Amino acid sequence: MKTLLSLITLSAFFMIASALPALAGSKESALSWQKQAIDTRVIVASVIGELDKTGDKGNDAAKDLIADAKMWMEKADEIFSKADGEMGKKDFEKAGSNYNMAWQYLVKSATAALNAKSILGGS
Amino acid sequence: MIKWTKFGLGGLGLAFLIGLLLLFSGVLESKSRQPGLSGNAEQIAKARGLTPANIEAALKTYVPTGKRDEYLMFASGGHSGQVLVIGVPSMRLLKVIAVFTPEPWQGFGQGSEESAILLSSGNMTVGKQRTLNWGDTHHPALSETNGEYDGQFLFINDKANARIAVIDLRDFETKQIVKTPNLISNHGGAFVTPNTEYIISGSQYATPLPFHEYAPIEQYKEKYRGLIVFHKFDRQKGKIVAEGSFQIEVPPYWQDLCDPGKKVSEGWIFCNSFNTEMATGGIGQGKPPFEAGASQRDMDYLHVINMRKAIQIVKQGKAKKVSGVDVIPLDVAVAEEILYFVPEAKSPHGVDVAPDGNYIVISGKLDTHVTIFTFDRIMKAIKNKNYEGKDPYGVPILKYNDVVEAQLNIGLGPLHTQFDNKGYAYTSVFIESTVAKWSLGPPYHEGEKAWQLIDKIPIHYNVGHIVCAEGDTVTPDGKYCVSLNKWSIDRFNEVGPLYPQNFQLLDITGNKMKLLYDMPIGIGEPHYVQMIKADKLSPWKVYPEVGFNPATMSKDPNAAMLGKERIVRNGNKVEVWMTALRSRFNPEHIKVMEGDNVVIYITNVERARDATHGFAISGYNINLSLEPGESSTVRFTADKPGVYPFYCTEFCSALHLEMAGYLFVEPKK
């Protein structure tokens, strides 16, 4: 049930993402990308958190996917911090681009995490 | 390991279930019924740890020896540059059709003059001429008549080099490779119009027009362009022809997949695009990578093209010649009202026209929806010139709300959609690795039954395209879909770090989808597949007559014939007319001088099915495959003195090893 809720919420953020206004280069645009990345991260982190609790159940493939999901999460955090710095310097174009990039990394993280859940759910 | 107790089945219960399944499959009604079969089956199932679902899947997919599959799939072979032919439901690999890549077993690009000419016909048109010896096949397209597969031809694109190949399904061999002028990448191809008048492909990565004219990336918006290509197909000739072929210049938005309209929308073409941001990359220069730059806007543009009008524009001489091809310039396309845009969910991949031709389904890779436009609404918006504005190149943009019919939330990362015969659509969902089944609207489903998510099934893993039986025609069959998965992760025995792809066969006959079979694909990344009813195909069993040349699809006037074998020297040219028959070549001795130009016309004079002969010359990199009746030509310079056996590379008979001869190359004095 928890996984289902996570998926629904994750879907909601994808929907929000697809409805973002196109204001590339503006402060509003950068803030929108920032919010999207933050919100999505909360959900992906909760999926990874669940995986941490259940563990990989000794399944090597699931273990690798969980590691992959975490790696992308770290990359997302890294570039998110960079974007924060750019926001501080009011370089909204770069900040927006990097928040977007962080979100892309979170999508990759979600893909790996969901495949891990699929493997564990089916074994 | 799943335990049988989980199902609450004791031995009797299991035996009952197996018996029931066998009964439904008709096995118990067959004359070959064996007493005690259920008991044996039960033991086997237990020993192998098979669940009832596994057994049902096995019964639905097993095709006994000598029996045929109901459907054939034509799958792109991805990087292998070939096409795979696979039976459904058995998922048996029946053939690999050599297309863009030399293939020794079929003697393709491996010594036969005909295949060498064919392969080189798709060479680059600029720079040093060298034969492109690989292709990145993506989207096969069966020829159609009135929107139905007709089983006559297959077309396949090479994304890497913007080429299209034509395969004749009488002998399942490649007949033509066309290098598309002006274009260097064509992910979006091949797609056929409902009567195969045109084979459509779209550019992917925008380049200067033509691609071989240099322009720096800073001039991207001004000089870089995309193209939608219309290759005219002559069904009588079985070839793409230059006369009538044309292209339409479009903005540099990285056009992707297309789908020609059908029925009510016939004459119109719909193509996706995914870089309306006109991102130019440049990580090294501190710019956002393409994956971020090309996904900034929330909407990209579906290209809506009036093909019939475009044909008239070309006939009126309003196109300009670029590299010898008629190209409708972008400003003409706008002025003549043949190109429109519709906002679509960003980073889309699939655009799929439903069987009725009215619904047009779009999926954005980073969205959760499938979006359904209708052709009726699009036509109305165009008629009323109801635009929300124009893009920077002046192309009218229709109002999204005017053309959208429905939007359905089906999951994370929808890609491609196919259809069945009951008004349901099946969409591959990449990020969450599922296939979603959903209902179309009227006339397929009315009221609350319309536009509903019906079922989802997990797949393994990262599905790209999906194919259903005749699922992109005007009359889909239903029955089966196949999920074409990019990753297999844990599904098969490990064979090193390069994993096979995974084709997963799905049973779609019930309300809920069922997984039936996993088929590993270990020779490339297939992208798209089409699935045709097997009885629509009428392939030759042997070539129609002895001396038949598959390159010309006619009898070769120069073919060697039985009793007329000979060797003729004319200066330093040595011509050999050779026949192959179980189990000998005639002549068996070929004597030449070092430096001679040798031409061997060789014919397999067999008329028996499957009596194929190979012809390999050691040390000369030559191997041919000669099917019964086939004639081919080998041309080489005898530049290596010595004695070189030639032999049949097919185990053709008990005395196969004796089917050999010698090439004697006498050194120059």
Side-chain angles (χ1 to χ4, degrees):
Chain A
M1 179 57 83
K2 205 170 175 184
T3 305
L4 183 65
L5 285 173
S6 296
L7 275 173
I8 291 167
T9 320
L10 197 56
S11 297
F13 283 116
F14 272 78
M15 283 188 278
I16 291 163
S18 65
L20 282 171
L23 301 163
S26 67
K27 184 179 179 182
E28 290 73 19
S29 170
L31 286 170
S32 294
W33 283 114
Q34 183 193 51
K35 182 177 184 327
Q36 180 189 319
I38 290 169
D39 293 345
T40 304
R41 192 191 184 286
V42 170
I43 304 307
V44 179
S46 81
V47 177
I48 291 174
E50 280 182 55
L51 288 166
D52 277 338
K53 280 182 197 161
T54 57
D56 57 39
K57 298 181 182 174
N59 185 307
D60 284 346
K63 183 181 171 185
D64 291 347
L65 284 165
I66 294 166
D68 193 46
K70 288 179 176 176
M71 184 271 287
W72 285 114
M73 178 74 89
E74 283 170 17
K75 278 186 178 293
D77 288 348
E78 203 175 290
I79 203 157
F80 191 93
S81 297
K82 194 177 169 190
D84 280 346
E86 286 153 353
M87 279 296 272
K89 292 176 195 165
K90 299 190 187 314
D91 188 343
F92 302 122
E93 188 167 355
K94 274 190 182 166
S97 174
N98 282 325
Y99 285 132
N100 179 7
M101 198 65 244
W103 185 70
Q104 300 282 358
Y105 288 157
L106 290 166
V107 172
K108 291 174 175 64
S109 179
T111 306
L114 291 171
N115 280 340
K117 288 203 78 70
S118 173
I119 288 174
L120 294 172
S123 63
Chain B
M1 169 82 75
I2 294 170
K3 291 182 177 153
W4 286 95
T5 49
K6 260 191 165 180
F7 297 91
L9 290 167
L12 280 174
L14 178 62
F16 175 76
L17 178 67
I18 292 170
L20 197 64
L21 290 169
L22 290 171
L23 185 65
F24 278 125
S25 71
V27 171
L28 291 182
E29 292 172 3
S30 87
K31 289 177 182 175
S32 60
R33 178 185 169 190
Q34 298 293 319
L37 181 63
S38 295
N40 290 343
E42 180 195 349
Q43 285 173 7
I44 293 166
K46 271 189 172 178
R48 298 195 64 215
L50 300 178
T51 68
N54 295 156
I55 297 163
E56 183 183 344
L59 289 172
K60 285 182 172 174
T61 56
Y62 176 65
V63 177
T65 182
K67 301 290 184 187
R68 309 291 175 89
D69 279 298
E70 186 180 4
Y71 291 91
L72 291 190
M73 288 197 295
F74 291 89
S76 85
H79 318 64
S80 75
Q82 297 163 342
V83 167
L84 316 179
V85 187
I86 298 162
V88 174
S90 75
M91 303 299 275
R92 296 180 296 195
L93 176 63
L94 300 172
K95 189 163 191 174
V96 177
I97 303 174
V99 185
F100 295 111
T101 308
E103 205 285 325
W105 177 52
Q106 294 163 65
F108 190 73
Q110 208 64 54
S112 91
E113 185 174 62
E114 291 84 357
S115 63
I117 291 169
L118 179 59
L119 272 171
S120 63
S121 66
N123 282 354
M124 292 288 291
T125 50
V126 292
K128 186 181 175 185
Q129 289 301 305
R130 61 171 68 90
T131 298
L132 297 168
N133 60 9
W134 83 287
D136 187 11
T137 57
H138 272 246
H139 306 101
L142 286 155
S143 57
E144 295 180 12
T145 300
N146 297 325
E148 307 267 16
Y149 298 152
D150 57 34
Q152 294 181 10
F153 297 95
L154 181 77
F155 310 96
I156 183 89
N157 70 318
D158 163 23
K159 170 182 170 171
N161 306 293
R163 295 183 292 173
I164 299 282
V166 180
I167 296 161
D168 193 317
L169 293 178
R170 283 175 291 180
D171 64 352
F172 282 51
E173 287 200 1
T174 303
K175 301 301 172 188
Q176 186 184 26
I177 297 175
V178 174
K179 170 77 194 82
T180 305
N182 302 320
L183 206 63
I184 194 58
S185 67
N186 72 343
H187 177 254
F191 309 101
V192 301
T193 50
N195 283 295
T196 323
E197 305 94 333
Y198 288 93
I199 301 143
I200 316 255
S201 64
S203 56
Q204 182 136 84
Y205 308 117
T207 63
L209 175 59
F211 71 89
H212 45 83
E213 283 190 2
Y214 176 78
I217 197 72
E218 290 73 20
Q219 295 176 6
Y220 186 85
K221 291 177 183 173
E222 298 78 26
K223 296 281 181 69
Y224 286 52
R225 292 291 181 268
L227 286 169
I228 305 297
V229 177
F230 298 78
H231 288 288
K232 181 82 176 127
F233 183 66
D234 185 325
R235 200 186 278 264
Q236 290 302 109
K237 291 178 181 169
K239 296 274 174 70
I240 290 169
V241 292
E243 189 178 355
S245 294
F246 67 97
Q247 305 176 346
I248 302 176
E249 178 188 349
V250 289
Y253 294 162
W254 291 14
Q255 288 70 31
D256 202 31
L257 302 188
C258 300
D259 200 10
K262 52 181 73 125
K263 289 191 168 177
V264 293
S265 55
E266 185 172 350
W268 290 75
I269 309 295
F270 309 95
C271 300
N272 274 328
S273 63
F274 63 91
N275 184 14
T276 51
E277 295 85 351
M278 293 188 277
T280 54
I283 299 173
Q285 291 76 46
K287 293 181 179 171
F290 279 116
E291 65 175 316
S295 58
Q296 291 174 55
R297 300 181 69 232
D298 55 312
M299 290 287 187
D300 285 305
Y301 294 135
L302 174 70
H303 294 33
V304 177
I305 297 163
N306 187 339
M307 184 185 78
R308 284 194 181 127
K309 197 166 182 184
I311 294 166
Q312 294 308 314
I313 297 298
V314 173
K315 284 181 179 169
Q316 290 164 14
K318 293 177 182 173
K320 65 176 183 181
K321 293 279 184 189
V322 182
S323 309
V325 179
D326 283 318
V327 178
I328 299 176
L330 180 51
D331 58 346
V332 175
V334 172
E336 297 291 342
E337 301 181 329
I338 59 174
L339 175 64
Y340 302 89
F341 290 155
V342 172
E344 57 183 350
K346 73 175 178 179
S347 305
H349 208 30
V351 49
D352 300 287
V353 180
D356 68 350
N358 192 32
Y359 293 130
I360 299 157
V361 182
I362 304 294
S363 303
K365 295 194 295 277
L366 299 176
D367 193 9
T368 59
H369 300 98
V370 287
T371 305
I372 299 95
F373 302 121
T374 67
F375 182 70
D376 291 344
R377 288 174 182 272
I378 289 172
M379 287 301 100
K380 193 174 172 188
I382 288 173
K383 187 180 174 188
N384 296 336
K385 297 189 184 299
N386 211 1
Y387 310 138
E388 69 172 37
K390 293 184 176 180
D391 86 325
Y393 299 92
V395 182
I397 304 165
L398 307 184
K399 287 181 181 170
Y400 176 82
N401 288 334
D402 285 351
V403 297
V404 70
E405 176 75 19
Q407 210 177 32
L408 192 61
N409 185 18
I410 63 160
L412 305 173
L415 294 185
H416 303 283
T417 300
Q418 293 260 302
F419 306 92
D420 72 7
N421 55 342
K422 295 171 185 166
Y424 294 105
Y426 300 81
T427 301
S428 55
V429 188
F430 178 86
I431 293 174
E432 62 174 53
S433 288
T434 57
V435 169
K437 173 183 177 179
W438 50 277
S439 58
L440 292 165
Y444 302 101
H445 299 280
E446 307 282 344
E448 290 183 353
K449 289 185 176 174
W451 311 121
Q452 294 296 313
L453 178 63
I454 305 296
D455 185 32
K456 284 172 81 169
I457 186 168
I459 56 79
H460 311 89
Y461 302 89
N462 295 4
V463 55
H465 276 276
I466 182 171
V467 61
C468 301
E470 308 213 351
D472 60 2
T473 69
V474 294
T475 54
D477 275 12
K479 293 191 179 180
Y480 301 108
C481 291
V482 176
S483 173
L484 312 173
N485 307 322
K486 308 295 184 186
W487 289 21
S488 59
I489 302 180
D490 64 343
R491 294 295 103 172
F492 306 113
N493 294 66
E494 286 166 10
V495 289
L498 181 58
Y499 287 60
Q501 312 279 303
N502 186 10
F503 279 13
Q504 288 192 302
L505 178 66
L506 305 174
D507 174 358
I508 60 164
T509 53
N511 201 39
K512 294 189 79 66
M513 295 174 280
K514 290 181 180 175
L515 175 62
L516 295 180
Y517 195 80
D518 282 20
M519 179 193 188
I521 302 287
I523 66 162
E525 182 198 345
H527 292 263
Y528 188 43
V529 172
Q530 287 190 330
M531 193 193 303
I532 181 175
K533 197 89 188 296
D535 61 15
K536 285 187 175 177
L537 296 159
S538 304
W540 289 334
K541 294 174 174 62
V542 297
Y543 278 109
E545 56 185 319
V546 171
F548 198 86
N549 187 334
T552 59
M553 292 301 262
S554 61
K555 186 169 179 180
D556 193 328
N558 225 6
M561 302 301 281
L562 206 58
K564 294 186 178 175
E565 299 89 346
R566 60 199 184 277
I567 300 174
V568 176
R569 172 177 284 278
N570 187 2
N572 69 342
K573 182 179 181 182
V574 178
E575 291 179 286
V576 181
W577 280 265
M578 176 185 280
T579 57
L581 178 72
R582 281 163 289 176
S583 301
R584 59 171 176 73
F585 291 110
N586 186 14
E588 289 183 325
H589 291 177
I590 303 172
K591 295 177 182 175
V592 300
M593 298 296 294
E594 180 185 358
D596 278 347
N597 295 317
V598 183
V599 187
I600 304 174
Y601 309 103
I602 181 168
T603 303
N604 177 347
V605 296
E606 303 268 9
R607 301 308 291 149
R609 282 190 202 190
D610 212 358
T612 294
H613 294 294
F615 176 73
I617 306 178
S618 303
Y620 273 88
N621 202 31
I622 289 169
N623 182 43
L624 272 61
S625 174
L626 299 153
E627 284 84 72
E630 180 174 356
S631 180
S632 188
T633 307
V634 182
R635 196 181 297 266
F636 64 98
T637 301
D639 56 357
K640 292 179 275 290
V643 177
Y644 299 89
F646 55 83
Y647 68 101
C648 174
T649 48
E650 285 282 332
F651 208 115
C652 55
S653 70
L655 296 178
H656 154 73
L657 293 177
E658 288 79 356
M659 190 167 176
Y662 284 107
L663 168 70
F664 302 97
V665 184
E666 191 178 331
K668 276 183 184 169
K669 296 208 169 113

